[in-house]
Amino acid sequence: MRLVNIRPDRGTALFLAILPFALVILAYVLGSAERLSANPDDKLLPSLVSLGDAIVKVAFTADARTGNYLLWTDTFASLERLFSALAISTAIALLIGVLVGMLPIVRSFLAPFVAMVSMVPPLALLPILFIVMGLGEASKIALITIGITPYLIRDLAMRVEELPREQMIKAQTLGASTWQMALRVVLPQILPRLMDALRLSLGPAFLFLIAAEAIASDSGLGYRIFLVRRYLAMDVILPYVAWITLLAVAMDFALVRARRFFFPWFGAAK
């Protein structure tokens, strides 16, 4: 039997999915135990007990100086920036992506420019954004927007171009205008693809968010990680990294569920 034809049953698939995580945790526990046995004050790989104590401190104990629960304050600040940038990027990408994909004249005008902008490293623009827009929220949101919008535009434009040409011809035969074709033919087929594109952009979006918060911010997940790094506080850094990962996974899952709910035909086609 060829490997390509072997399909694990549900239980085996679940076991295989959990196995890498279990191996990583096991390797961490063994490495931590070895380092702590050699040096009880070692901070590089804190024990699971130390990690638990740190989680309780940042998530469920009010900060003595501010009175805030640090993890939740940082989370709300970061998510506010992230969601604002994602909303702006989605609106821009949906408008320009559909126009570039549908209209040859707009494609000739904007496609080369968007392709060029998408090649600019967004982090290289961070000092410029801080100089032009200041150190406030606008520059952080702008960095995330600039970082993911060109990718979303190019992806949506390609998806529009891939739509069967016959659909456009039939719509025109029935008397549809360009506006009607965009709303009734293109948009319903592009929205589920937009959700998939957003899923793929979550990683870069979090990267740009953490980078901006690390350099100039007084709250946020990235700010907290870079604040405590000077104390080698791995018992705080590691839970924050894990929390960021869980947030991204939850957002990815929510987008998948929303796509299946609103566009069941797209999920069935997959």
Side-chain angles (χ1 to χ4, degrees):
M1 179 178 292
R2 296 179 176 86
L3 288 176
V4 70
N5 295 321
I6 299 177
R7 296 183 177 273
D9 57 35
R10 190 177 185 87
T12 304
L14 180 61
F15 171 77
L16 292 175
I18 295 175
L19 183 59
F21 298 96
L23 292 176
V24 169
I25 294 174
L26 177 62
Y28 179 88
V29 170
L30 294 177
S32 175
E34 182 177 352
R35 292 186 65 92
L36 291 174
S37 64
N39 178 15
D41 295 326
D42 182 75
K43 295 183 177 181
L44 183 60
L45 295 177
S47 66
L48 296 183
V49 174
S50 297
L51 292 175
D53 292 340
I55 293 173
V56 170
K57 180 179 179 181
V58 298
F60 305 109
T61 304
D63 181 62
R65 184 174 62 87
T66 64
N68 296 325
Y69 295 88
L70 297 180
L71 179 64
W72 308 117
T73 300
D74 293 333
T75 299
F76 294 145
S78 292
L79 289 183
E80 183 178 4
R81 296 165 185 141
L82 184 67
F83 288 151
S84 298
L86 289 176
I88 295 170
S89 299
T90 300
I92 296 173
L94 191 59
L95 175 61
I96 299 180
V98 170
L99 291 176
V100 170
M102 276 191 66
L103 307 179
I105 188 171
V106 177
R107 187 180 310 129
S108 299
F109 176 58
L110 286 179
F113 176 76
V114 174
M116 181 68 70
V117 170
S118 68
M119 300 302 169
V120 178
L123 292 179
L125 300 177
L126 188 54
I128 300 175
L129 292 175
F130 284 152
I131 293 172
V132 174
M133 306 180 72
L135 302 179
E137 299 299 307
S139 57
K140 303 177 185 66
I141 295 173
L143 176 66
I144 303 171
T145 303
I146 293 172
I148 66 174
T149 300
Y151 158 75
L152 292 176
I153 292 174
R154 297 186 71 186
D155 184 75
L156 289 182
M158 288 189 292
R159 301 290 82 80
V160 173
E161 291 182 54
E162 291 173 357
L163 295 179
R165 181 64 180 169
E166 293 80 3
Q167 294 182 2
M168 301 297 183
I169 296 175
K170 290 179 181 178
Q172 293 178 70
T173 302
L174 295 172
S177 64
T178 301
W179 176 251
Q180 289 173 324
M181 286 189 290
L183 288 180
R184 299 189 178 185
V185 179
V186 174
L187 194 60
Q189 300 183 75
I190 289 303
L191 287 178
R193 291 174 168 85
L194 172 61
M195 290 184 174
D196 283 343
L198 280 174
R199 290 176 59 204
L200 296 176
S201 67
L202 287 177
F206 269 102
L207 169 64
F208 302 137
L209 171 69
I210 299 304
E213 290 180 341
I215 295 176
S217 185
D218 57 3
S219 64
L221 298 169
Y223 161 77
R224 192 67 55 190
I225 289 174
F226 277 77
L227 177 67
V228 302
R229 86 188 194 284
R230 68 186 66 175
Y231 309 114
L232 300 178
M234 294 294 288
D235 56 340
V236 175
I237 293 174
L238 292 177
Y240 262 69
V241 172
W243 178 239
I244 293 170
T245 304
L246 288 176
L247 289 174
V249 171
M251 293 171 63
D252 180 86
F253 178 79
L255 285 170
V256 171
R257 300 299 296 180
R259 189 199 65 193
R260 291 177 179 174
F261 179 80
F262 291 108
F263 309 100
W265 54 266
F266 186 82
K270 292 296 184 181

